[in-house]
Amino acid sequence: MQKKGFMKKNISQLNWRSELENTEFDAINNDFILLERFPYLPSPDYPFKIDVTSVIIYIKGTSEGSINLRSFKAEAPCFIVILPDQILEHKYISEDFSGLVIVMSKKFSDNLLPNARDRLPLFLFIQNSPVIPLDEEELDAMVAYFRMLKRIVKSQNHPYRTEVVRHLTLAFFYGAAYRLHPQSEDKKKSHQEMLVEKFLSLVQANYKEQRGLDFYADKLFLTPKHLSKVIKDITGKSASDWIDDYVIPEAKALLKSTNMTVQQLADELGFFDQSIFGKYFKRVVGVSPREYKRR
């Protein structure tokens, strides 16, 4: 099912949801999907991106391609992680390929680790090492993990189904990071990675008073344009998005867990007045603070 009208190397947003219409899968809404058949991929003639996190467990076969212009070769047994908005270009998939696929919405994957400072090391690990080799024993463990997830997802009456799936998935990613840690613990961080860590440390200390990029660029002796490019290149997210990731979770928590008025909450988070805070919150979350609190 190749779409027409694409020029070679034009980056397309893959409408993967439409490809699932004739495919059997188990899911929790559109947030967590399990497939036992590899989904459709476009022609190798052009790169594409999707808006979800995908984990592909290779039971048999090989594939080749690139993620964000970095080439990879995946050979079973292994698994590969593709993050939201990464640019994927596949060049080859062997005819004997078989595997298991886990698809997570951005909302689901972001909620695995709500705090931005906790997400970054795992995020960078996955970005730098998308293909993770396994031995046969580890492959068996991954398949068992998939089957366990499937049993939970299929238990629609389970009162804590989403919570159990979330914790199992978090354990899965931490296990993956630990898998390669001995190989990478002596690897020096790049200058850009160190810059990202310094930026996030500054954000953590100042996000209630400073939400503009100029402040952080000045502290790091960089131009805002250069800082913005480094953050985007290394993490795939803009500097402003990372700042929002500190402000918004706290705002949501205060709205849900306290009796503070919107004005009090705006004061607590360093906004000049509740109108500015309300516009900021609605821009990021999609609803007003009062509407969010009512929910």
Side-chain angles (χ1 to χ4, degrees):
M1 194 181 101
Q2 183 173 343
K3 296 181 180 180
K4 298 180 179 180
F6 286 98
M7 296 177 63
K8 190 170 183 179
K9 300 303 179 185
N10 187 36
I11 299 172
S12 168
Q13 184 79 26
L14 177 65
N15 185 12
W16 59 271
R17 291 171 180 82
S18 66
E19 302 302 329
L20 298 182
E21 291 178 358
N22 299 315
T23 303
E24 291 186 6
F25 60 89
D26 298 288
I28 299 178
N29 301 320
N30 280 324
D31 290 322
F32 193 87
I33 300 171
L34 301 174
L35 304 103
E36 298 201 34
R37 184 179 69 81
F38 198 67
Y40 161 83
L41 287 178
S43 160
D45 287 343
Y46 62 88
F48 62 95
K49 62 181 179 179
I50 55 179
D51 58 354
V52 292
T53 297
S54 301
V55 179
I56 307 167
I57 303 170
Y58 284 58
I59 296 175
K60 188 177 181 181
T62 62
S63 74
E64 295 181 26
S66 67
I67 297 175
N68 279 2
L69 305 180
R70 296 174 63 177
S71 297
F72 73 85
K73 180 176 182 180
E75 183 174 358
C78 70
F79 70 93
I80 187 169
V81 181
I82 306 166
L83 298 169
D85 294 325
Q86 285 189 323
I87 299 170
L88 173 65
E89 187 171 8
H90 85 275
K91 299 177 181 178
Y92 168 78
I93 299 178
S94 62
E95 293 183 359
D96 65 341
F97 175 86
S98 66
L100 305 171
V101 183
I102 304 168
V103 178
M104 291 169 279
S105 71
K106 190 174 186 301
K107 180 179 75 173
F108 183 93
S109 57
D110 281 353
N111 284 335
L112 290 176
L113 287 171
N115 291 324
R117 61 183 176 273
D118 295 330
R119 282 206 304 271
L120 180 66
L122 193 58
F123 179 94
L124 291 177
F125 168 81
I126 293 170
Q127 188 178 57
N128 292 329
S129 305
V131 179
I132 301 173
L134 302 168
D135 58 32
E136 290 298 332
E137 183 177 346
E138 289 166 336
L139 175 63
D140 289 343
M142 291 293 100
V143 173
Y145 161 83
F146 184 92
R147 302 299 178 202
M148 187 187 311
L149 276 174
K150 187 170 183 176
R151 285 196 299 272
I152 297 297
V153 170
K154 290 173 75 73
S155 302
Q156 297 186 16
N157 294 325
H158 195 304
Y160 304 110
R161 182 172 64 147
T162 301
E163 288 79 3
V164 172
V165 167
R166 183 172 68 84
H167 286 292
L168 282 173
T169 304
L170 184 58
F172 169 82
F173 277 117
Y174 271 124
Y178 178 76
R179 168 71 174 83
L180 285 188
H181 180 69
Q183 299 178 27
S184 60
E185 61 183 358
D186 294 328
K187 180 183 176 182
K188 292 183 66 175
K189 295 178 182 176
S190 72
H191 173 71
Q192 290 186 329
E193 288 172 341
M194 292 174 66
L195 184 60
V196 170
E197 291 189 356
K198 289 178 181 178
F199 166 73
L200 289 181
S201 179
L202 282 171
V203 174
Q204 181 183 354
N206 297 281
Y207 69 91
K208 288 187 179 181
E209 293 82 26
Q210 303 291 340
R211 287 175 293 277
L213 193 56
D214 288 354
F215 170 85
Y216 298 101
D218 184 61
K219 288 288 185 182
L220 295 168
F221 305 102
L222 299 170
T223 65
K225 183 177 180 180
H226 181 62
L227 175 60
S228 181
K229 184 179 186 305
V230 170
I231 300 301
K232 183 71 173 180
D233 287 348
I234 294 296
T235 72
K237 291 174 59 172
S238 71
S240 295
D241 284 344
W242 280 110
I243 296 170
D244 292 344
D245 272 0
Y246 279 87
V247 179
I248 293 300
E250 183 163 352
K252 287 180 174 180
L254 291 172
L255 284 166
K256 289 291 189 181
S257 62
T258 73
N259 292 321
M260 295 173 67
T261 66
V262 175
Q263 180 61 64
Q264 288 171 330
L265 196 149
D267 292 340
E268 172 67 20
L269 293 175
F271 287 85
F272 182 72
D273 60 36
Q274 71 176 48
S275 175
I276 294 175
F277 168 68
K279 290 177 181 178
Y280 170 85
F281 189 92
K282 187 169 184 177
R283 175 181 62 79
V284 178
V285 180
V287 298
S288 69
R290 285 191 175 88
E291 184 177 351
Y292 181 83
K293 188 176 182 70
R294 282 197 299 271
R295 289 180 176 182

